């Protein structure tokens, strides 16, 4: 079990009176034995430092140990990789030196550090009121209200696409935003506070002035309705009942209210 070194050989012999014997010191060189080793792999998530992952690198297999030697006779040193916290997902080679007093070590194979996608928790930072819009309005603007713990100065717009399943003419109800990760360095772990609401469009019904002469029949009131409150694509016919007034040709001179009601659940009429 001697370590590699030059060792002296001291010759000796029995005394023989027939010879005048002198001795010179000899040497034997014990050299390092060849040993092949392989190393384990490691992994970390995108954006993390390398130190902890590289600390996980260790000896995997060895071929050539002598006697009862094992990995305790080796020392793993200067473990490095060319990956940085900003490196994208993938496999990066790991370089290492193996020191030993007994062995001339060759590292076989390639040890790698795998950078994996960073789990992402996303939150919509809006109250219930802020997550509510009226029928016919534009979709809720989420700019600046999507929160996530990004790294490496990545931005939300570069990492995520928030999908709104509604349009301006989507009926009232409760809906959910969904998120699509567009950066392979991230994976969606959770998405919270994602429900939003479309409520009735509350409108004021206004008629242009209408008049008739005593004794005549009531005119058609529909043309006098102001329709600028209607969402694009809607018409009075699919939103409101036929306007009526409680008069007849015998009604006295005076002002009379015009009655109309909503026949469309997306609209409500202010009283």
């Amino acid at each position: 079990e001697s370590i590699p070194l030059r060792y002296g050989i001291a010759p000796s012999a029995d005394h023989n009176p027939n010879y005048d014997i002198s001795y010179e010191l000899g040497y034997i060189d014990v050299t390092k034995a060849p040993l092949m080793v392989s190393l384990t792999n490691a992994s970390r998530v995108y954006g993390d430092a390398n130190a902890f992952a590289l600390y996980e690198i260790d000896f995997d297999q060895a071929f050539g140990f002598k006697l009862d030697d094992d990995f305790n006779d080796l020392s793993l040193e200067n473990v490095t990789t060319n990956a940085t916290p900003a490196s994208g997902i993938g496999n990066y080679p790991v370089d290492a030196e193996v020191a030993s007093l007994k062995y001339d070590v060759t590292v076989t194979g390639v040890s790698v550090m795998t950078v994996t996608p960073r789990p992402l928790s996303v939150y919509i930072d809006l109250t219930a009121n802020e997550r509510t819009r009226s029928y016919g309005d534009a979709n809720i603007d989420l700019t600046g209200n999507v929160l996530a713990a990004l790294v490496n100065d990545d931005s939300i717009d570069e990492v995520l696409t928030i999908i709104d399943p509604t349009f301006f003419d989507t009926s009232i109800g409760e809906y959910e935003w969904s998120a699509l990760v567009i950066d392979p360095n991230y994976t969606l772990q959770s998405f919270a506070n994602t429900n939003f609401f479309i409520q009735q469009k509350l409108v004021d019904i206004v008629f242009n002035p209408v008049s008739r002469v005593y004794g005549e029949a009531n005119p058609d009131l529909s043309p006098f309705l102001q329709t600028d409150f209607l969402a694009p694509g809607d018409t009075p016919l699919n939103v409101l009942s036929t306007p009526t007034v409680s008069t007849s040709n015998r009604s006295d001179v005076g002002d009379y209210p015009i009655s109309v009601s909503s026949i469309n659940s997306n609209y409500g009429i202010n009283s």
Side-chain angles (χ1 to χ4, degrees):
E1 297 187 4
S2 299
I3 64 172
L5 197 64
R6 170 169 284 190
Y7 293 88
I9 302 174
S12 64
D14 292 336
H15 178 71
N16 189 323
N18 296 319
Y19 293 91
D20 183 13
I21 301 174
S22 62
Y23 301 101
E24 291 185 6
L25 186 63
Y27 298 93
I28 182 171
D29 291 323
V30 178
T31 59
K32 291 184 178 183
L35 181 71
M36 293 188 298
V37 300
S38 61
L39 304 179
T40 60
N41 299 319
S43 67
R44 66 163 175 83
V45 300
Y46 168 74
D48 283 358
N50 291 330
F52 185 76
L54 293 179
Y55 183 76
E56 295 178 339
I57 298 290
D58 203 351
F59 296 110
D60 184 19
Q61 293 180 313
F63 305 92
F65 275 130
K66 304 297 184 181
L67 304 174
D68 294 325
D69 289 346
D70 56 24
F71 289 124
N72 291 320
D73 294 288
L74 308 178
S75 175
L76 192 59
E77 301 174 351
N78 299 325
V79 182
T80 61
T81 180
N82 61 355
T84 70
S87 298
I89 61 171
N91 294 325
Y92 296 84
V94 172
D95 295 321
E97 298 175 3
V98 180
S100 175
L101 294 175
K102 299 179 179 180
Y103 294 94
D104 184 11
V105 182
T106 300
V107 178
T108 63
V110 178
S111 177
V112 298
M113 184 181 72
T114 301
V115 177
T116 60
R118 189 174 193 86
L120 201 59
S121 296
V122 182
Y123 180 79
I124 302 296
D125 189 26
L126 294 174
T127 66
N129 284 339
E130 292 170 329
R131 301 194 317 275
T132 301
R133 70 169 176 87
S134 295
Y135 168 80
D137 288 353
N139 290 353
I140 298 169
D141 184 4
L142 297 179
T143 302
N145 295 304
V146 181
L147 304 184
L150 303 178
V151 295
N152 294 325
D153 294 324
D154 293 336
S155 70
I156 282 291
D157 291 339
E158 295 171 334
V159 172
L160 283 175
T161 295
I162 305 299
I163 300 171
D164 188 330
T166 66
F167 301 92
F168 73 90
D169 58 350
T170 299
S171 296
I172 61 172
E174 181 176 356
Y175 299 89
E176 293 273 344
W177 286 295
S178 59
L180 176 66
V181 177
I182 56 177
D183 186 332
N185 293 316
Y186 293 89
T187 183
L188 186 63
Q189 184 176 57
S190 64
F191 190 27
N193 211 32
T194 59
N195 63 323
F196 66 97
F197 308 89
I198 300 177
Q199 64 184 8
Q200 279 188 331
K201 183 180 181 69
L202 295 178
V203 298
D204 295 310
I205 301 300
V206 179
F207 285 87
N208 293 321
V210 186
S211 64
R212 69 167 175 83
V213 175
Y214 170 78
E216 292 183 354
N218 292 331
D220 180 6
L221 302 175
S222 295
F224 297 93
L225 174 67
Q226 295 182 10
T227 60
D228 54 353
F229 66 87
L230 293 172
D234 289 337
T235 67
L237 290 177
N238 62 20
V239 172
L240 299 174
S241 63
T242 301
T244 60
V245 64
S246 58
T247 61
S248 68
N249 59 352
R250 295 180 177 276
S251 296
D252 293 331
V253 172
D255 293 331
Y256 296 87
I258 299 173
S259 299
V260 69
S261 60
S262 173
I263 59 173
N264 187 319
S265 61
N266 294 318
Y267 289 85
I269 297 176
N270 287 319
S271 56

